[in-house]
Amino acid sequence: MNAFIAKRDFDPLVDVDALAVSLRAITERRMPQTFAASTISMLAKPHQRVFVWNELATVSVRAHDLALSNASGARLPEGRLDLGPLSDYATFFLAYERVFEGMRMSEPFQSALKRYVDYLSSVPGPMRSRDTTPLDFVERSLFGRLMTCEGWYLRYWEEHGVPPGTIAPRDQGMMMSPVAPRRGQDVFASDLAAKYGY
């Protein structure tokens, strides 16, 4: 890890996959470790453009790619989405970056970012300083959470055969912190707001 952090010629399109292979070799089940490798890379290299790979984010990336390539705008095709993850990090990175660049200057994202930055400024920790944690890192951090949540809902709608926009009865599968019992439609958004400050 020390050698990785000290690496000066870091290239996310190469080095994240290389780290994932190294981590895979030391895990009990020898499973792909792209999530761990991309998370470590993002935290170790906050000034480098790294996006955290996770399976739910890849679902969202695929949906956005379909929408962007559809001449009519944001309509998803009939039938099932290909929900398989983009396991190749370079492919994921390039697709994710297109979506990120297309959305980061939008008014809704900028509004959410302002609330998130205001929240980070009000609590102790390294995320307060723009020297150690540049704004680009904060943007990528927030966007990653939003993409993960969106991917979870896309998968939920698809796997449960419910119309898009349906609110899940609870935050199943999202690994959120425990929340007090409340109406099902309140759990997801309010727990996110409490946890991430937007």
Side-chain angles (χ1 to χ4, degrees), residues 56-77:
L56 293 171
T58 68
V59 173
S60 187
V61 166
R62 286 182 184 276
H64 280 277
D65 261 359
L66 286 170
L68 290 171
S69 64
N70 188 322
S72 65
R75 184 173 170 275
L76 295 176

Side-chain angles (χ1 to χ4, degrees), residues 42-43 45-46 127 133-142:
M42 185 168 171
L43 296 173
K45 304 288 186 182
M127 294 284 279
T133 311
L135 183 61
D136 179 68
F137 178 94
V138 176
E139 288 179 324
R140 288 180 283 120
S141 175
L142 173 61

Side-chain angles (χ1 to χ4, degrees), residues 59-98:
V59 173
S60 187
V61 166
R62 286 182 184 276
H64 280 277
D65 261 359
L66 286 170
L68 290 171
S69 64
N70 188 322
S72 65
R75 184 173 170 275
L76 295 176
E78 299 296 328
R80 292 186 61 82
L81 288 170
D82 179 1
L83 297 180
L86 293 164
S87 56
D88 171 71
Y89 185 77
T91 302
F92 166 78
F93 179 99
L94 295 172
Y96 193 102
E97 187 172 49
R98 284 193 301 272

Side-chain angles (χ1 to χ4, degrees), residues 9 11 31 37 57 75 100:
D9 57 342
D11 179 355
M31 298 295 288
R75 184 173 170 275
F100 177 62

Side-chain angles (χ1 to χ4, degrees), residues 171 176-182 187 191:
D171 57 348
M176 292 288 178
S177 56
V179 293
R182 58 177 78 115
V187 171
D191 199 45

Side-chain angles (χ1 to χ4, degrees), residues 121-137:
S121 299
S122 70
V123 296
M127 294 284 279
R128 291 178 72 167
S129 169
R130 297 291 74 86
D131 293 330
T132 55
T133 311
L135 183 61
D136 179 68
F137 178 94

